[in-house]
Amino acid sequence: MNYNEAIKKLEKYGQTHLLKYYEELAPDKQIKLLTQIEETDFSPIEALNDLKAPSLRGQITPLKAMEIYEIKARRDEFVELGTKAIKDGKVGAVILAGGMGTRLGSDKPKGLYDIGLTKPVYIFQRLIENLLEVVKLTKTNIPLYIMTSDKNNDQTINFLKQFNYFGYDKNYVTFFKQEMAPASDYNGKVFLEEKDQIAASPNGNGGWYASMDKNGVAGRAKEQGIEWLNIFNVDNVLQRITDPCFIGATISANCAVGAKVVRKNARDEKVGAICLEDGRPSIVEYYDMTDELMDARDENGNPAYGFGVIMNYLFRVKNLDEILEKKLEIHVVEKKIPHLDEDGKKVNPAEPNGYKYEMLALDMIHQLENCLPYEVEREYEFAPIKNQTGVDSVESARNLCLKNGILL
Ligand code: UTP
């Protein structure tokens, strides 16, 4: 892209200020900036207009979960079905590890965080150890895809190489990068992070399949016969991955997606509740839960919206392809964004100063026809690490690991 083409693109989005320092840049830096302008999708900024509009939701009604007692009763049948799918090479696992982990406050990617007490136990190690259990059980190597971002890709790859993939066969590990989205001030003006660089951050975990497709990774997976992809957060150190019983239950229910859910531990617990919205599966985020929804009961007197998602979904690839062209909602999130000020000086704000633009994987659920919410024991499967201490922290996750007999 040349200078004139860049100006034209930026004019369309009201962002010509990004070329403010162009004339003073060395030729290679000029090319770098023009390339970034060419590759950047500025359309997410338009989501700011929607912020002013009242959010419109469809009609929310309950979606029944398959509960633990029912799963127990049919366990053998489900495990057999799921194991067969794995052995037939139809199942892959995808770690969503492109996030910045800002709340944890580590300067490294989250997967490199060490939660050990007497020996190093890295977050990636915990996930791979859990996946290896299924590999051993099924005597089948399961393709593992790891989504990174521009910000953490090299560090992630080097780390896993250094630790020899924690015993995973490296021929079954594929990395792919997610896309970046520009970050802006409160008026939608995109920040410069350097004179030759636009401030950008990973575009949220919702872009995972689009990125996988764009990188050619999804195409190769399909050629190899992958029909199901189990995606999950990097930060849940008890994550059960490619769980044969869950896979079998989702296949048996003939659903486009299975979602692992836990029984909420409080009516206002900060997890998204699984439901139907205008008859399609959906998730009501905790901040959208009204008193009416929190107090609603089913025919047995149990909470009608009592199951929360834990970001462990099994997607049928065929259905992902059908929704590939559909746009996901852009979530506008207030964040601290390092940038250059009016005088070109670097600012590292202590308080939020603008917006990042993210898509969320949970929004994909609503685009699909049907979903199986599958209940799991939270003490056994749900130990997310978002913060250093308190709720969903290194501290709480360590306690849960110890409860599960995992040596730290
Ligand atoms: P979170 O929403 O917890 O974000 O991500 P985060 O970046 O890890 O942490 P904070 O909010 O900055 O503290 C949930 C999961 O989605 C992944 C994360 O790596 C984590 O596994 N994710 C998030 C991505 O893969 N890409 C993104 O752009 C954002």
Side-chain angles (χ1 to χ4, degrees):
M1 174 172 270
N2 63 32
Y3 180 83
N4 286 338
E5 287 164 338
I7 283 281
K8 226 173 170 187
K9 178 169 180 181
L10 294 176
E11 270 171 356
K12 185 172 162 212
Y13 294 101
Q15 307 289 353
T16 47
H17 61 281
L18 296 173
L19 287 167
K20 182 172 170 186
Y21 301 104
Y22 184 81
E23 294 302 336
E24 59 181 86
L25 296 174
D28 60 328
K29 305 260 161 131
Q30 289 183 333
I31 293 173
K32 181 182 160 208
L33 181 60
L34 292 180
T35 309
Q36 198 189 5
I37 292 169
E38 180 175 14
E39 288 173 355
T40 299
D41 176 10
F42 291 95
S43 65
I45 311 281
E46 290 167 350
L48 267 189
N49 300 329
D50 301 339
L51 263 193
K52 289 158 204 146
S55 82
L56 291 177
R57 278 211 89 128
Q59 197 200 1
I60 304 293
T61 51
L63 170 61
K64 282 234 169 301
M66 182 182 271
E67 296 185 34
I68 287 173
Y69 75 89
E70 194 182 348
I71 296 168
K72 271 192 181 148
R74 298 179 64 186
R75 174 164 284 278
D76 291 350
E77 172 201 340
F78 292 155
V79 169
E80 193 184 325
L81 204 54
T83 304
K84 183 171 183 321
I86 293 172
K87 279 182 178 290
D88 290 345
K90 292 183 178 170
V91 183
V94 186
I95 307 185
L96 304 176
M100 303 283 283
T102 41
R103 281 169 289 174
L104 186 59
S106 161
D107 54 353
K108 295 189 195 126
K110 234 186 207 180
L112 280 60
Y113 196 84
D114 176 9
I115 60 162
L117 292 169
T118 61
K119 57 175 188 171
V121 177
Y122 302 100
I123 291 183
F124 270 131
Q125 179 181 359
R126 280 271 56 260
L127 297 178
I128 292 177
E129 278 171 2
N130 280 358
L131 182 55
L132 274 172
E133 278 184 25
V134 185
V135 169
K136 283 190 189 124
L137 202 75
T138 57
K139 299 188 187 65
T140 309
N141 283 312
I142 297 168
L144 171 63
Y145 304 95
I146 302 178
M147 182 168 85
T148 62
S149 78
D150 270 349
K151 301 265 183 195
N152 68 12
N153 181 63
D154 297 352
Q155 259 183 306
T156 303
I157 293 179
N158 291 338
F159 173 81
L160 285 167
K161 266 192 197 153
Q162 183 194 341
F163 286 93
N164 202 17
Y165 303 86
F166 295 105
Y168 213 77
D169 185 334
K170 67 172 190 296
N171 297 315
Y172 289 85
V173 180
T174 308
F175 297 91
F176 66 96
K177 277 201 251 179
Q178 70 173 99
E179 274 140 78
M180 305 289 280
S184 77
D185 67 12
Y186 290 122
N187 296 315
K189 290 281 174 213
V190 172
F191 284 121
L192 275 174
E193 194 171 304
E194 302 285 349
K195 291 184 175 176
D196 62 348
Q197 195 179 328
I198 298 169
S201 64
N203 67 349
N205 58 24
W208 72 273
Y209 192 66
S211 299
M212 206 172 161
D213 183 69
K214 210 170 170 182
N215 286 308
V217 174
R220 286 197 293 280
K222 282 181 280 183
E223 273 163 31
Q224 284 163 17
I226 297 288
E227 291 180 13
W228 295 91
L229 286 171
N230 186 190
I231 69 156
F232 52 92
N233 275 1
V234 71
D235 53 31
N236 174 6
V237 287
L238 288 182
Q239 197 83 260
R240 308 305 304 179
I241 304 152
T242 62
D243 166 358
C245 192
F246 174 45
I247 296 168
T250 307
I251 294 175
S252 166
N254 195 21
C255 280
V257 61
K260 285 202 168 183
V261 295
V262 290
R263 208 169 277 267
K264 284 165 68 175
N265 62 12
R267 68 198 273 285
D268 56 353
E269 193 194 353
K270 289 186 174 172
V271 290
I274 194 101
C275 63
L276 289 175
E277 181 175 355
D278 290 336
R280 297 174 80 89
S282 190
I283 287 143
V284 187
E285 275 294 6
Y286 67 89
Y287 43 78
D288 283 336
M289 283 293 274
T290 57
D291 279 333
E292 196 187 331
L293 290 176
M294 284 192 261
D295 295 332
R297 301 276 140 180
D298 67 13
E299 66 279 8
N300 300 318
N302 296 318
Y305 303 96
F307 289 100
V309 287
I310 61 167
M311 271 301 294
N312 184 323
Y313 299 107
L314 181 72
F315 285 96
R316 187 158 53 194
V317 177
K318 177 172 88 177
N319 299 99
L320 286 173
D321 284 328
E322 286 164 11
I323 60 168
L324 198 52
E325 297 306 322
K326 288 196 185 169
K327 286 247 176 230
L328 282 179
E329 185 186 337
I330 305 286
H331 295 255
V332 180
V333 203
E334 222 184 330
K335 295 265 176 166
K336 296 180 230 170
I337 303 156
H339 64 280
L340 298 185
D341 67 11
E342 280 296 296
D343 306 320
K345 287 204 196 79
K346 272 198 184 181
V347 181
N348 238 332
E351 295 301 324
N353 61 322
Y355 295 128
K356 289 187 177 179
Y357 301 83
E358 297 185 345
M359 291 179 289
L360 301 180
L362 58 82
D363 287 330
M364 294 167 87
I365 306 299
H366 189 50
Q367 299 187 335
L368 296 165
E369 285 289 316
N370 42 36
C371 168
L372 174 73
Y374 173 99
E375 186 190 2
V376 298
E377 300 277 6
R378 64 189 304 143
E379 288 75 19
Y380 178 55
E381 297 209 19
F382 190 41
I385 296 179
K386 302 288 182 192
N387 310 296
Q388 280 289 338
T389 54
V391 179
D392 296 343
S393 66
V394 178
E395 216 171 55
S396 60
R398 275 186 184 138
N399 289 336
L400 283 161
C401 282
L402 295 173
K403 258 193 191 166
N404 279 283
I406 295 161
L407 293 179
L408 294 179

